[in-house]
Amino acid sequence: MNFNVSFKQKHSLFVPPRSALEALQRRTIAALLGLTLCVSAPMAVFAQDAKATGSATNPPTFADPSKVFRTIFPVAETGFDPIGVRDTYSHAIVEVVFERLYGYDYLASPAKIIPQTADGLPDISPDGKTFTIKLKKGILFTEDDAFKGKKRELTVNDYVYSIKRLMDPRTASAHSWLFEQKIIGLDDLVAKAKKTGKFDYDAKIPGIEVLDKYTLRLHLLRPDFNLTMIFSHPATSAVAREVVEKYQDQQGLVMANPVGTGPFKVTEWVRGSKIVLDANQNYRPVYWNFQGGNNSEDQKITAAMQGKRLPQIGRIIVSDILEDQSRLLAFQKDEVDQFQLYGGLAPQVLRDGKLKPEFQQKGIQLSRIVDPELTVYYWNMRDPVFGGLSKEKIALRRAIAMAHNVDDENRIVENGEAVPLEYPIPPGVVGHDPQYKSSIQYDPVAANALLDKFGYKRGADGYRNLPDGKPFQINYTSQTESRGHLQAEVWKKTYDSIGIRMNVDFRPFAEILKAEKDCHLTQRISPWIADYPDGDNFMQLFYGANIHLNNNGCVAIPEYDQLYEQSLKLPAGPERDLLYHKMARIMEVYSAQRLGYARYRNMLSQPRVIGFKKHPVMLTEWMFIDIDKNK
């Protein structure tokens, strides 16, 4: 997928290049980012200074307190510190409370990067190793006691502090991989902090220059073709140092007192039950100004939303409802405005991917996409029984991978609401190869033969023992709700088919995340949805240096790691794709994981919800929608 990049222009009008040189410079920047730049046609931009409807005497409505949007999280959130949370749902709150330098155009397809707090796209040096970023002026943090009654303006120093904090060993952020081995001198400061036990936040770093409070210059160790996308990741949100120093816990995290510059602020949090967000009434003037496609859905949304000041919604109420049926019941009783329909409930609402007539007649709306997601099954490579690179361990994992029927799981657990994957980069992500065929295919006969060959003999009870004759079992971890139980049943069938004992370990979602980060789980189903839509975001999941970060299977294969490091030096294209193909084959040979599927995302909305369309990368669309109070 190519990215179309919009340069923010005054009044959001496209300004043609003033010379052939300027046109070449723009294309050079786009090439360094691995993006496609259109320089020949007008483009709408989500801009702070976009022209709004209304007038000085009759201004457009904004953040109407009577417009309340009610939605659901299917698991409990873990907190709201941008660098401290790992799960999608906590990051969804982070996304609207805090802001990043860059974001995504709401309607553009393929996905398009646009400035958020940055004043335009970065100025990139010809060698791709120096980025100069300008910040919009006058952006304010929401009021908080940490600022002692003073207005607090956002500056580039807040982003510098946030980068350092993300890398501070004390915070142990799972997102430190975003900046590791990228900025000159940053890793040296991290190494020093590990030795001394204290991170020096005031230390000068050669690769970070603050030219003035609105201008940041970064010097990189090597060209980074995804840096602009990385600065759209929720973990790179700006936090204020005063807030951290006032509210931080022993780990240096602020999980319960989020203070950002975004369109919403958390006003109530009942852990594991409810989150209330109110619109930031001091949010700078921003107006809905996007151009979608020529399809009727985009045209309808544009007609309803164009020119409205954002956010329109005054309050958001998020309820944590863990059980599938309870979520659907709440929606049917009109207790919520929107929720995600998981595969387990799909037959009750959908037929052939469309709403059943009874839901259509009620005006229920469906937005449906294939998520840029990889659901992967991993085996802990540090486990004494299932981990390791010896031939018998590889044979054990490969046999399990061959014994698992992904189509069965899709049918039983997801009700067919998923697309099986052959390649680790899913559809809709740069680097995906729809022609690739994995060497790991469902073949239980071959799986049993492989175990026999490597000495995993069956005992009198029909279950296999280790080559040394000792009994063994797999500890399979799953979430406590009904979907987790279905997954466990499917995997029990898999293990029974090859004579391996399975023990099920049911745990709450937050506990699972912590345990797998510490390499304490033997196996689980681990879904990963794109932080940014580039293949690197998926291939890094299996990189040895990312153990305790995103490498949940704790796998370290030297051949894979060497190729991954080579891929970092390349832009998206055939040369990098060749490396990715080799890496995928290495994954199959060692079978540290088995590829699963990418799920359909079905978002159901009540008739009164205006302007909603599921974005493939953004976690929430709350900023860009409206509520019809008359429905």
Side-chain angles (χ1 to χ4, degrees), residues 305-501:
M305 295 299 299
Q306 191 69 36
K308 290 183 178 181
R309 185 175 172 183
L310 304 176
Q312 281 288 296
I313 292 171
R315 170 167 284 193
I316 298 168
I317 300 175
V318 182
S319 300
D320 293 339
I321 304 178
L322 274 58
E323 289 300 327
D324 287 354
Q325 196 64 50
S326 298
R327 293 193 292 271
L328 178 57
L329 182 61
F331 184 80
Q332 291 176 314
K333 292 170 64 177
D334 201 14
E335 294 172 353
V336 295
D337 297 293
Q338 185 182 83
F339 89 111
Q340 180 179 349
L341 179 76
Y342 282 97
L345 297 175
Q348 299 184 47
V349 181
L350 305 179
R351 181 178 297 134
D352 298 326
K354 297 181 180 180
L355 289 170
K356 288 183 174 181
E358 56 265 36
F359 288 92
Q360 294 183 31
Q361 292 167 7
K362 295 177 181 178
I364 302 302
Q365 304 172 77
L366 169 67
S367 184
R368 175 179 167 92
I369 65 170
V370 177
D371 265 339
E373 175 197 59
L374 169 63
T375 293
V376 67
Y377 321 112
Y378 70 76
W379 294 273
N380 186 347
M381 289 293 282
R382 294 184 174 181
D383 185 86
V385 174
F386 293 88
L389 302 180
S390 63
K391 289 183 180 180
E392 69 274 9
K393 299 296 184 65
I394 295 171
L396 175 60
R397 294 191 301 269
R398 190 176 182 89
I400 299 170
M402 294 166 63
H404 188 63
N405 191 329
V406 175
D407 289 332
D408 266 3
E409 182 178 335
N410 184 16
R411 176 177 54 82
I412 295 169
V413 179
E414 306 296 343
N415 279 300
E417 289 294 304
V419 178
L421 297 178
E422 300 278 339
Y423 197 56
I425 302 172
V429 175
V430 175
H432 173 67
D433 183 356
Q435 304 303 319
Y436 185 91
K437 190 74 171 178
S438 172
S439 63
I440 303 293
Q441 298 294 325
Y442 176 60
D443 191 341
V445 174
N448 275 290
L450 187 61
L451 291 173
D452 290 339
K453 179 179 179 179
F454 281 85
Y456 294 90
K457 303 300 183 182
R458 291 181 185 265
D461 61 357
Y463 287 103
R464 295 182 184 273
N465 297 317
L466 294 172
D468 63 5
K470 294 179 180 179
F472 73 105
Q473 69 174 15
I474 184 83
N475 286 316
Y476 172 87
T477 302
S478 191
Q479 293 172 219
T480 54
E481 61 268 20
S482 58
R483 187 169 181 272
H485 284 261
L486 278 176
Q487 290 171 329
E489 290 174 11
V490 170
W491 272 94
K492 181 66 166 60
K493 179 182 176 181
T494 294
Y495 283 111
D496 282 346
S497 73
I498 52 175
I500 294 178
R501 304 169 187 85

Side-chain angles (χ1 to χ4, degrees), residues 64-81:
D64 185 345
S66 65
K67 291 181 177 179
V68 179
F69 181 76
R70 303 159 302 166
T71 188
I72 294 172
F73 283 171
V75 298
E77 65 292 332
T78 56
F80 312 120
D81 191 317

Side-chain angles (χ1 to χ4, degrees), residues 505-525:
D505 173 24
F506 291 111
R507 303 193 192 188
F509 181 59
E511 187 178 325
I512 288 176
L513 292 180
K514 184 179 186 302
E516 72 180 357
K517 182 180 178 182
D518 295 332
C519 298
H520 289 166
L521 302 184
T522 304
Q523 188 207 354
R524 95 165 180 104
I525 299 176

Side-chain angles (χ1 to χ4, degrees), residues 112-382:
K112 180 168 64 179
I113 294 175
I114 59 174
Q116 188 170 68
T117 62
D119 192 11
L121 290 172
D123 180 19
I124 307 172
S125 64
D127 64 1
K129 294 168 66 175
T130 301
F131 282 61
T132 303
I133 300 169
K134 295 280 189 178
L135 190 67
K136 293 172 184 173
K137 299 178 180 179
I139 298 175
L140 299 176
F141 283 92
T142 55
E143 296 177 358
D144 189 84
D145 291 344
F147 304 132
K148 300 178 180 179
K150 298 179 181 179
K151 290 185 177 181
R152 173 63 158 80
E153 185 181 14
L154 176 72
T155 72
V156 295
N157 279 306
D158 295 308
Y159 284 103
V160 172
Y161 173 72
S162 298
I163 292 171
K164 290 179 176 179
R165 184 169 171 263
L166 188 152
M167 298 299 293
D168 185 347
R170 179 191 176 201
T171 64
S173 176
H175 309 291
S176 59
W177 63 276
L178 292 169
F179 291 107
E180 285 178 345
Q181 299 299 315
K182 281 186 169 60
I183 299 173
I184 294 173
L186 181 57
D187 294 280
D188 295 334
L189 188 62
V190 173
K192 183 179 179 180
K194 289 179 178 178
K195 288 181 179 180
T196 64
K198 185 176 182 180
F199 193 97
D200 186 355
Y201 282 92
D202 298 313
K204 298 294 183 182
I205 299 175
I208 300 179
E209 284 187 90
V210 176
L211 304 185
D212 58 55
K213 66 179 185 176
Y214 304 113
T215 310
L216 175 64
R217 180 166 292 161
L218 300 175
H219 302 279
L220 307 183
L221 292 164
R222 59 174 178 261
D224 190 321
F225 303 98
N226 291 324
L227 189 64
T228 307
M229 284 189 281
I230 285 172
F231 277 120
S232 70
H233 191 295
T236 68
S237 300
V239 298
R241 186 169 183 173
E242 304 97 306
V243 173
V244 174
E245 291 178 348
K246 182 176 178 62
Y247 299 116
Q248 64 184 328
D249 59 22
Q250 291 184 344
Q251 193 179 336
L253 299 176
V254 183
M255 300 293 273
N257 297 86
V259 179
T261 62
F264 293 95
K265 56 185 180 180
V266 176
T267 54
E268 182 183 353
W269 181 28
V270 181
R271 292 175 184 264
S273 177
K274 183 173 72 171
I275 309 165
V276 178
L277 302 101
D278 287 336
N280 176 6
Q281 296 292 335
N282 295 320
Y283 192 62
R284 62 190 181 277
V286 173
Y287 300 91
W288 203 103
N289 189 29
F290 301 101
Q291 288 183 353
N294 293 324
N295 59 82
S296 59
E297 180 185 19
D298 284 6
Q299 291 175 354
K300 179 181 178 181
I301 291 172
T302 302
M305 295 299 299
Q306 191 69 36
K308 290 183 178 181
R309 185 175 172 183
L310 304 176
Q312 281 288 296
I313 292 171
R315 170 167 284 193
I316 298 168
I317 300 175
V318 182
S319 300
D320 293 339
I321 304 178
L322 274 58
E323 289 300 327
D324 287 354
Q325 196 64 50
S326 298
R327 293 193 292 271
L328 178 57
L329 182 61
F331 184 80
Q332 291 176 314
K333 292 170 64 177
D334 201 14
E335 294 172 353
V336 295
D337 297 293
Q338 185 182 83
F339 89 111
Q340 180 179 349
L341 179 76
Y342 282 97
L345 297 175
Q348 299 184 47
V349 181
L350 305 179
R351 181 178 297 134
D352 298 326
K354 297 181 180 180
L355 289 170
K356 288 183 174 181
E358 56 265 36
F359 288 92
Q360 294 183 31
Q361 292 167 7
K362 295 177 181 178
I364 302 302
Q365 304 172 77
L366 169 67
S367 184
R368 175 179 167 92
I369 65 170
V370 177
D371 265 339
E373 175 197 59
L374 169 63
T375 293
V376 67
Y377 321 112
Y378 70 76
W379 294 273
N380 186 347
M381 289 293 282
R382 294 184 174 181

